[in-house]
Amino acid sequence: MKTLATEFGHAMRKMRKHKGLSQDELALRAEIDRSYIGRIERAEANITLDMLYKIAEVLDCEPHELLPSRISLKG
C-alpha cells in the first residue's frame, strides 16, 4: 500500500505546484493542517475519501486525476 500512498502524494504535489499553490495555501483553503499536507505528499499518511474530494475541490480537479492509474494489490 505504501506505493499507492507514494504515487498519490507525488500526484498531489505535482497538481498543487501546477496550480501555483504552496502547502500552506492548500491547507488553508482545504481547512486542514499544513503538516498533514506534507505527510500526505511524503506518503506518511493515508487519507479518507472525504479528504480526497476536499483536496481535489481545492485543486480544481477531479479526484481520479490524483489517483494512481494502475493499482497492484501485490504486497
Side-chain angles (χ1 to χ4, degrees), residues 7-21:
E7 289 179 29
F8 177 82
H10 289 170
M12 189 177 99
R13 178 182 293 126
K14 183 177 177 180
M15 183 68 74
R16 175 180 60 76
K17 289 184 174 189
H18 175 73
K19 300 290 181 169
L21 295 174

Side-chain angles (χ1 to χ4, degrees), residues 24-72:
D24 288 333
E25 291 170 309
L26 175 57
L28 183 64
R29 293 180 189 187
E31 298 179 342
I32 55 179
D33 191 77
R34 192 221 48 87
S35 65
Y36 188 55
I37 296 293
R39 289 178 45 228
I40 294 169
E41 289 187 355
R42 292 188 304 276
E44 296 171 356
N46 287 314
I47 66 168
T48 63
L49 287 173
D50 289 336
M51 187 62 64
L52 169 62
Y53 277 78
K54 185 183 260 191
I55 290 169
E57 183 177 340
V58 172
L59 293 175
D60 193 31
C61 68
E62 292 297 322
H64 70 86
E65 294 179 73
L66 300 173
L67 297 174
S69 60
R70 287 185 270 175
I71 296 176
S72 171

